[in-house]
Amino acid sequence: MTSHVLKRELTDVGDDVRAAPPPVVPDFDPPFALRLVDPDGSDPEMLAAWMSLPHLVETWEQPWSAARWRDDAAARLAGDYSRPCIVSADLAAFGVSGEAMTEVAYVELYRPARDENAKVYPAAPRDMGFHIATARTDLLGRGVMSTWMERLAEAIWTADPLCHRIFVDPDHRNAHMRRALARKGYRDLGEFDVRPGRRIALHSLSRP
């Protein structure tokens, strides 16, 4: 593995943040499944192909090579800040043609207290956050990923009883995601400039 730096990760954190375990990777019931990225398998090639798609080049700005995705996944799995995952869905359950349990999205589950967002908003050590990249544009507006986000919150509350909030930080111009979060009960905490060229619309959901 070559040297790889997770640019968003904060390393100068308090003992309470450092003592928190890695982000949970919760279990899902059908029609969804969630698994860790395998850096030694074919996942890096799949991620490189996904992130080269025009809509993800625009929103994620990470059209990396498979080798770089391999290094990134390995670095995340070696630490306690973030866990790279693949979401699968049985698309027939949503009236979309496709094989059962089709791989549809890349997700990063992370601890916001270790993330650059902690510079602009206080996060507790066991809070969780997620970033999501939907590979197929034909799934947008079909309820697939919005249903998964709703199930994710329920799964996190179950898997980590000490997690009390979930954070999401879409680009401030991402009106589609902001509307989706509002419908799911996420609170809009405002817009923040976390670094040059990076203005977010931070949202949070509290444990019921």
Side-chain angles (χ1 to χ4, degrees):
M1 172 181 167
T2 59
S3 176
H4 189 90
V5 176
L6 301 177
K7 293 183 178 180
R8 294 180 54 132
E9 182 180 10
L10 301 181
T11 55
D12 184 14
V13 296
D15 292 340
D16 57 340
V17 174
R18 199 175 303 281
V24 294
V25 180
D27 294 326
F28 280 81
D29 293 326
F32 297 107
L34 183 68
R35 65 171 178 82
L36 290 170
V37 168
D38 179 5
D40 298 319
S42 60
D43 287 345
E45 285 75 16
M46 180 177 68
L47 291 174
W50 283 0
M51 295 300 180
S52 295
L53 298 172
H55 71 290
L56 291 181
V57 171
E58 179 181 0
T59 55
W60 275 64
E61 300 178 333
Q62 293 180 183
W64 298 342
S65 66
R68 186 169 180 183
W69 278 108
R70 184 175 297 109
D71 286 354
D72 186 82
R76 293 180 189 279
L77 293 170
D80 294 335
Y81 158 60
S82 174
R83 288 294 178 263
C85 301
I86 301 294
V87 179
S88 296
D90 182 354
L91 298 181
F94 298 92
V96 181
S97 61
E99 297 180 3
M101 304 314 293
T102 303
E103 293 170 331
V104 296
Y106 171 68
V107 170
E108 290 170 356
L109 303 173
Y110 68 97
R111 294 292 190 194
R114 292 175 175 265
D115 185 78
E116 65 182 4
N117 290 347
K119 298 177 181 178
V120 298
Y121 198 87
R126 296 289 285 263
D127 286 344
M128 288 277 291
F130 71 91
H131 307 127
I132 186 166
T134 304
R136 290 175 47 174
T137 56
D138 65 313
L139 299 184
L140 300 177
R142 304 295 292 267
V144 179
M145 300 318 300
S146 62
T147 301
W148 183 83
M149 287 195 298
E150 185 174 316
R151 299 278 184 88
L152 173 65
E154 297 169 357
I156 287 175
W157 304 141
T158 299
D160 191 346
L162 295 182
C163 173
H164 295 286
R165 284 185 301 179
I166 301 172
F167 287 90
V168 193
D169 63 346
D171 184 276
H172 71 104
R173 297 162 294 186
N174 192 340
H176 176 81
M177 184 62 166
R178 296 180 72 169
R179 288 194 298 269
L181 292 170
R183 288 194 297 269
K184 298 301 179 186
Y186 280 79
R187 178 187 173 195
D188 189 337
L189 301 176
E191 297 183 7
F192 301 89
D193 294 306
V194 291
R195 54 182 147 86
R198 171 66 172 161
R199 185 173 181 82
I200 64 169
L202 191 62
H203 294 69
S204 73
L205 181 70
S206 297
R207 178 184 286 272

